[in-house]
Amino acid sequence: MNIQSAINREVFAPRDERILVAVEVKRRPRKRLSFLPTGGKAGYITYICLSVTNKRPAQLLITKVKRFGGSAPFTRRSQWSVEQLRQVDGIDPNKDCPEFDLVFDNAFDQWVASSAAEKCIFIQIMYHACQTYWEGKVGVPGGPASPAGDQQKDQRASPGGQVSPGAQGGQRGGPGAQARRKSTVGPRPRQTEFVNCQSKLTGDACTVNLVIYRCKVFFNHMKKVMVSKQSSPLAGGPRASPSGQRPPRGSLGSVVKRASQALQERGERLGRAEDKTVDLMHKAQQFADTAHKDMETFTDWQ
């Protein structure tokens, strides 16, 4: 079970919510003066999650979840509705970067994701979820829930699209009816603003981009696993011989020689792991390019 499924099971499912995406983040360090002390290392992991309620009308929520220690349960710390989310800042609209900002009515958070690919997945899913939410909130243009729909009703109420004199005084098209409609319709809700985000994250071709970013996240995860496995035998100190006894201690020169040999072997293994990872990422990029071309060909064919 991955982290997102575990967070959904422990935090959101008991509250009748469903998680859409989660990203592991850290506070982006601000510029400090050199003589000022810095804070200690945090003993927890922070996740920013986007969820939706199962009840109708559905609510879109942004939640900060923390996990203290290695195996402790997940804890919900803060939660905002999408109406309180004023702005999502992607920092750099020209390249993939792990930094992003979230601006709420009463908070301003500067974050760094674990990787640029995870941040791109988070912003892309959040953008399309916000678009769907606000479209359902505002209503279809020209429909009964919008001012354009009221104007069309007024035009249909009288011949030639003009309001008849007899319709005033509270009847259809009169000032009283317009005042009542203004009170019921209300002002247009303020939507979330996405700034400094790449066009591929806020465009229509989202399926291919999600496949690319998910491949990158998968290969980055595999790279970390391979590096941790390669370095784990050296972290436990000198390995025992096949007979179960430790090798005898030698002079300082032999100890340095063995240490340098172990470091050299570790560097070779890490180099091979890096080459494999680069080769896999190159193949994934080729696959993504081919899929993108096929998608464009299929679109042109249609």
Side-chain angles (χ1 to χ4, degrees):
M1 179 182 295
N2 56 16
I3 294 297
Q4 182 168 316
S5 300
I7 295 176
N8 184 66
R9 182 188 62 182
E10 296 184 18
V11 178
F12 294 101
R15 302 175 63 88
D16 200 19
E17 299 176 16
R18 176 171 52 88
I19 192 171
L20 299 179
V21 65
V23 59
E24 180 181 345
V25 296
K26 293 182 180 179
R27 291 281 183 182
R28 190 163 74 248
R30 300 180 180 179
K31 294 183 178 180
R32 299 175 180 267
L33 298 178
S34 58
F35 56 85
L36 292 179
T38 57
K41 185 177 180 181
Y44 56 84
I45 303 175
T46 305
Y47 299 92
I48 300 297
C49 307
L50 180 67
S51 63
V52 63
T53 58
N54 294 324
K55 297 181 180 179
R56 299 295 179 180
Q59 295 293 322
L60 196 60
L61 304 171
I62 300 95
T63 309
K64 184 189 302 181
V65 176
K66 291 188 177 182
R67 189 177 192 181
F68 296 88
S71 58
F74 298 97
T75 305
R76 186 176 68 94
R77 306 297 294 179
S78 305
Q79 190 173 65
W80 300 270
S81 64
V82 71
E83 284 86 356
Q84 297 174 295
L85 180 61
R86 295 168 51 190
Q87 188 181 89
V88 178
D89 191 347
I91 305 299
D92 195 335
N94 300 319
K95 66 177 182 179
D96 294 342
C97 65
E99 296 87 3
F100 67 97
D101 296 342
L102 298 179
V103 182
F104 299 94
D105 289 336
N106 57 352
F108 172 61
D109 292 331
Q110 296 178 323
W111 299 110
V112 179
S114 299
S115 64
E118 294 184 11
K119 170 236 180 174
C120 291
I121 293 175
F122 177 77
I123 288 185
Q124 188 170 5
I125 295 178
M126 174 176 280
Y127 174 79
H128 289 282
C130 288
Q131 291 295 107
T132 304
Y133 176 82
W134 288 118
E135 288 176 0
K137 191 76 172 179
V138 175
V140 181
S146 63
D150 295 333
Q151 185 177 2
Q152 293 176 2
K153 287 183 179 179
D154 293 337
Q155 293 178 356
R156 290 194 300 266
S158 60
Q162 301 293 332
V163 180
S164 59
Q168 297 181 358
Q171 298 179 1
R172 179 185 293 271
Q178 293 179 1
R180 285 195 298 271
R181 282 197 295 272
K182 289 181 180 179
S183 62
T184 56
V185 172
R188 183 183 180 90
R190 181 194 63 197
Q191 299 186 13
T192 305
E193 183 183 11
F194 286 77
V195 298
N196 297 326
C197 296
Q198 301 179 69
S199 58
K200 61 182 178 181
L201 302 181
T202 57
D204 296 331
C206 60
T207 305
V208 177
N209 294 328
L210 277 177
V211 172
I212 295 174
Y213 289 128
R214 291 188 187 278
C215 289
K216 289 183 178 180
V217 170
F218 173 75
F219 288 128
N220 288 334
H221 175 71
M222 293 300 297
K223 179 181 177 181
K224 292 179 181 179
V225 172
M226 293 174 66
V227 171
S228 63
K229 287 184 178 180
Q230 294 292 342
S231 59
S232 57
L234 297 175
R239 290 177 293 181
S241 61
S243 59
Q245 299 178 354
R246 293 183 177 273
R249 296 182 179 179
S251 61
L252 180 60
S254 61
V255 172
V256 174
K257 184 178 180 180
R258 288 197 299 270
S260 61
Q261 184 179 0
L263 290 175
Q264 184 179 1
E265 293 176 356
R266 179 184 179 185
E268 292 176 355
R269 289 194 293 267
L270 291 177
R272 290 193 296 268
E274 181 72 20
D275 294 339
K276 292 181 180 179
T277 304
V278 171
D279 183 59
L280 290 174
M281 292 185 67
H282 180 67
K283 292 180 179 179
Q285 187 65 37
Q286 289 180 345
F287 171 77
D289 294 340
T290 304
H292 188 69
K293 291 180 181 179
D294 293 342
M295 183 71 68
E296 291 180 351
T297 303
F298 179 75
T299 305
D300 296 339
W301 180 77
Q302 284 183 336

